[in-house]
Amino acid sequence: MVIEAKGIVTRFGERTVHDGVSLQIRENEIYGILGESGSGKSVLMKEMIMLLEPNAGEMMVLGKDLGTISYKEAQQLRREWGVLFQFGALYSSMTIAENIEVQLKEYTDISKEMRDKLVRSKIALVGLDAHVGSLYPAELSGGMIKRAALARALAMEPKLLFLDEPTSGLDPVGARNFDALIVELRKMLGITVVMITHDLDSIFSIVDRMAVLADKRVVAEGPLENVLQSQHPFVEAFFKNDYTKEKYVDKLEKKRVEHV
Ligand SMILES: Nc1ncnc2c1ncn2[C@@H]1O[C@H](COP(=O)(O)OP(=O)(O)OP(=O)(O)O)[C@@H](O)[C@H]1O
């Protein structure tokens, strides 16, 4: 397992967000975290990357228990993952190349020449033209910003990639291209991808397994066909409404046939 959450409890004051959340993420899969607004998806992801600490439960990431990890181990572990936050979050006063270089400068002794080379390779990896490196975030389209932020997340060659709603704000073509890029990167780099998503196209086409958060816990987990068996109201409303039934009829039918 790359990530294992066991009985996670999270409270903010009087409010309980998670009350026994458990899930398991395997190596090299694309794992989706779904759930309605406010169900604690982002909080759970932040707990996986040590930006927040749960009140109870165990969070194992790459074999390390985040609850008992030493400061030094935590520093090392942080280099093993890349994160793409929802709005890209690039530094606006830096060029794209400088943005991608930030962590390489901070965490490594790599020479300037080598850093430039790595930056160029990451820009190419995410499908951007070389000249984009010298532009500022304000000069890029939304889709290019996502790709640039992805290049930055990949700068340290992580084993694990966290994506918070990667296709939100992209037009349909841009969203599908981004999905294709994620699949390609997973194959090329052998990484594990954890993504929060509401995007049905992504869920039906690139997510291998997923967890559905509702009622403060995981109400359905596994591949799509498992999740579709759930009769939880959120699953019913999200996957089994008329729109989804019509748009994904082939896939829903196919899953049913495969399952029989
Ligand atoms: N640092 C914080 N302090 C206090 N409350 C918080 C904090 N972070 C999140 N919350 C609360 O925890 C709950 C879950 O938030 P979270 O952002 O994880 O939801 P989400 O499932 O990601 O929702 P969305 O799909 O709208 O992004 C919300 O009620 C939010 O207000």
Side-chain angles (χ1 to χ4, degrees):
M1 288 307 150
V2 171
I3 299 181
E4 196 161 7
K6 277 192 218 157
I8 296 291
V9 175
T10 310
R11 292 188 206 96
F12 294 109
E14 295 284 281
R15 192 179 146 71
T16 302
V17 177
H18 303 132
D19 190 13
V21 166
S22 301
L23 54 79
Q24 295 184 327
I25 302 176
R26 300 171 189 157
E27 198 172 344
N28 207 217
E29 69 183 350
I30 298 180
Y31 192 91
I33 301 179
L34 285 66
E36 58 199 349
S37 186
S39 57
K41 304 181 293 294
S42 300
V43 168
L44 189 65
M45 190 177 268
K46 284 179 185 156
E47 289 170 347
M48 291 173 180
I49 56 174
M50 295 191 286
L51 291 179
L52 283 173
E53 233 180 291
N55 298 80
E58 196 179 278
M59 184 71 86
M60 301 282 299
V61 179
L62 295 167
K64 299 277 190 295
D65 180 345
L66 302 189
T68 58
I69 196 170
S70 70
Y71 177 78
K72 200 166 162 229
E73 280 178 318
Q75 286 297 83
Q76 276 166 357
L77 195 59
R78 282 195 177 92
R79 297 175 202 188
E80 307 277 0
W81 59 62
V83 187
L84 175 60
F85 290 104
Q86 201 173 342
F87 300 107
L90 293 169
Y91 298 111
S92 59
S93 62
M94 292 183 184
T95 64
I96 300 309
E98 286 164 352
N99 264 283
I100 299 170
E101 199 187 3
V102 168
Q103 281 194 313
L104 293 169
K105 251 173 142 171
E106 200 173 315
Y107 292 121
T108 73
D109 299 326
I110 297 171
S111 69
K112 174 71 183 146
E113 199 187 347
M114 193 62 198
R115 285 203 306 267
D116 288 345
K117 217 169 151 185
L118 282 170
V119 167
R120 283 198 296 274
S121 77
K122 297 299 176 258
I123 289 175
L125 186 65
V126 298
L128 290 173
D129 281 346
H131 81 277
V132 172
S134 58
L135 301 179
Y136 286 87
E139 299 174 282
L140 267 53
S141 72
M144 290 163 84
I145 287 188
K146 293 253 183 189
R147 282 174 191 259
L150 187 59
R152 189 177 61 176
L154 294 170
M156 297 286 289
E157 309 197 339
K159 296 194 179 94
L160 240 172
L161 182 63
F162 292 95
L163 310 170
D164 190 353
E165 298 196 32
T167 58
S168 79
L170 297 181
D171 63 62
V173 174
R176 301 296 61 86
N177 287 340
F178 203 83
D179 273 352
L181 175 61
I182 293 168
V183 171
E184 183 66 22
L185 290 174
R186 183 260 296 266
K187 195 166 128 205
M188 269 170 59
L189 308 174
I191 50 177
T192 305
V193 180
V194 182
M195 59 194 260
I196 295 178
T197 185
H198 297 290
D199 187 325
L200 282 160
D201 281 318
S202 307
I203 294 164
F204 277 92
S205 60
I206 72 160
V207 167
D208 298 310
R209 294 193 318 122
M210 66 199 93
V212 178
L213 290 186
D215 306 333
K216 308 184 175 66
R217 50 185 75 215
V218 175
V219 296
E221 202 205 2
L224 186 62
E225 53 266 40
N226 282 22
V227 170
L228 291 174
Q229 311 261 314
S230 165
Q231 283 167 4
H232 188 278
F234 174 79
V235 176
E236 293 276 332
F238 190 74
F239 285 106
K240 302 176 198 171
N241 56 60
D242 290 343
Y243 170 80
T244 316
K245 277 185 183 157
E246 195 167 314
K247 184 149 189 241
Y248 299 98
V249 64
D250 293 350
K251 285 183 173 142
L252 290 168
E253 287 294 327
K254 190 166 156 272
K255 294 285 174 199
R256 204 171 309 141
V257 172
E258 274 171 4
H259 204 258
V260 168

